[in-house]
Amino acid sequence: MTEATKFKAYAVLNAGEKLQPWEYEPAPLQVNEIEIRVTHNGLCHTDIHMRDNDWGVTQFPLVAGHEVVGVVTEVGEKVTHLQKGDRVGVGWIRNSCRTCDHCLQGEENICRQGYTGLIVGNYGGFADRLRVTADFTYKIPDALDSASAAPLLCAGITVYTPLRTYIKHPGTKVGVMGIGGLGHLAIKFARAMGAEVTAFSTSADKEAQAKEFGAHHYQKWGTAEEMKAIAGTLDLVVCTISAETDWDLAFSLLANNGVLCFVGIPVSSLNVPLIPLIFGQKSVVGSVVGGRRFMREMLEFAAINQIKPMIETMPLSQVNEAMDKVAANKARYRIVLLSDG
């Protein structure tokens, strides 16, 4: 293989190291794959978890990046729905078994055999090019610019899936815990779905911004006494935070038949009070990214309703500085890395 065919990437070569320029020889393009010239990468906190091997699944060298937008440059011989020049996106899921009941319903995110992650044992988007399974690649609607589309491929689908699942009718009362990379998109999507949205944050200075995103109400997260007026009123509470908080207080917000849904991952377990759970017919659930059915739907919904994340852009060559900014909670609210050259 000649030097010209090597992909140029930013990689973590060994655990505990920063990302650095690196080249690798890609495997031959398979009949069901495409090659993408990468133009944009959303930076997700999961990329930092993978860098630091927080979940014990990282394989080094690691080329992270799983909110990828680019242009198709090569097409495998059995790929029929994409062609050279298409602007496409790739998210967290690279492949699945395709044969279980969940996959057949478009819920590859809960594949019974376990899906293949884009950057778990594979090289991701922090590179000039990427080869990926065509069936898990999505055309970007013309009404979405590439920088705005990138974070939708993980952050967007992560909040869209539970909102789409549990908002049953217009006027559904939805609470969003956290106004960050996930939370601000949850507010926008919930508002566009016709929900009455309450935003919760520990920061007193985010009210105006939350309402700009579409929240009808804003509540600073506080004591049970301070939040007593809205206890038992919310049909759905989407928790986007990963920090510890008063989970009994969160559960108390639910109306009868209410759902508390976790998309962020707190560091400890949750003790659920069984009496109100049973007699109020309440639920505590989790949700992880989304399958192909909802991914395609989410991108079209975002395009039609012009739902775009609040982003700031940085060059891919500054990926370490960008990761430091995300880790310090200074990103507002998603960083998108622009490919060099």
Side-chain angles (χ1 to χ4, degrees), residues 31 66 77 118 135 154 159 177 186 242 271 279 337:
V31 295
H66 62 278
E77 62 184 47
L118 181 63
D135 287 349
C154 182
V159 296
M177 293 175 60
S242 56
N271 293 317
F279 285 91
L337 301 168

Side-chain angles (χ1 to χ4, degrees), residues 274-307:
L274 288 179
I275 295 301
L277 179 80
I278 294 170
F279 285 91
Q281 297 186 167
K282 302 175 184 182
S283 305
V284 178
V285 303
S287 183
V288 57
V289 288
R292 289 187 287 175
R293 177 168 63 98
F294 277 169
M295 180 73 91
R296 296 189 187 98
E297 181 181 295
M298 180 274 300
L299 289 170
E300 291 296 338
F301 187 89
I304 292 169
N305 292 280
Q306 283 298 284
I307 296 174

Side-chain angles (χ1 to χ4, degrees), residues 35-240:
E35 182 177 300
I36 301 169
R37 176 176 58 82
V38 179
T39 60
H40 297 76
N41 275 280
L43 177 58
C44 178
H45 210 289
T46 296
D47 294 311
I48 300 174
H49 287 305
M50 290 294 292
R51 178 197 68 183
D52 299 338
N53 198 20
D54 288 338
W55 301 328
V57 298
T58 304
Q59 298 177 31
F60 298 98
L62 168 72
V63 178
H66 62 278
E67 297 178 339
V68 189
V69 174
V71 177
V72 177
T73 55
E74 297 293 338
V75 178
E77 62 184 47
K78 290 190 176 180
V79 176
T80 59
H81 67 292
L82 296 172
Q83 57 187 357
K84 291 182 182 181
D86 284 345
R87 189 169 59 111
V88 296
V90 185
W92 175 252
I93 300 176
R94 180 186 179 92
N95 211 339
S96 72
C97 81
R98 302 167 185 260
T99 59
C100 73
D101 53 340
H102 292 309
C103 285
L104 293 175
Q105 295 177 81
E107 296 179 319
E108 294 87 357
N109 55 313
I110 49 174
C111 172
R112 289 192 183 275
Q113 296 186 32
Y115 59 75
T116 303
L118 181 63
I119 60 174
V120 181
N122 302 284
Y123 295 138
F126 292 173
D128 62 343
R129 285 173 288 171
L130 172 68
R131 287 181 178 173
V132 70
T133 311
D135 287 349
F136 284 81
T137 306
Y138 308 91
K139 286 187 178 182
I140 303 299
D142 291 340
L144 286 176
D145 63 281
S146 296
S148 296
L152 296 178
L153 296 162
C154 182
I157 190 62
T158 294
V159 296
Y160 182 87
T161 297
L163 292 170
R164 175 68 170 76
T165 301
Y166 297 110
I167 292 178
K168 303 296 187 181
H169 53 76
T172 297
K173 292 180 169 58
V174 174
V176 177
M177 293 175 60
I179 306 172
L182 293 175
H184 86 290
L185 282 170
I187 292 170
K188 291 187 174 192
F189 276 121
R191 176 65 182 253
M193 291 178 185
E196 181 181 336
V197 185
T198 300
F200 296 93
S201 176
T202 57
S203 301
D205 59 353
K206 288 188 176 180
E207 180 173 2
Q209 200 163 62
K211 290 185 175 179
E212 287 178 10
F213 295 144
H216 297 87
H217 316 289
Y218 179 86
Q219 175 68 54
K220 186 176 184 300
W221 191 261
T223 65
E225 187 62 32
E226 292 171 335
M227 298 172 65
K228 193 173 182 180
I230 57 172
T233 64
L234 299 179
D235 303 306
L236 171 64
V237 175
V238 179
C239 178
T240 71

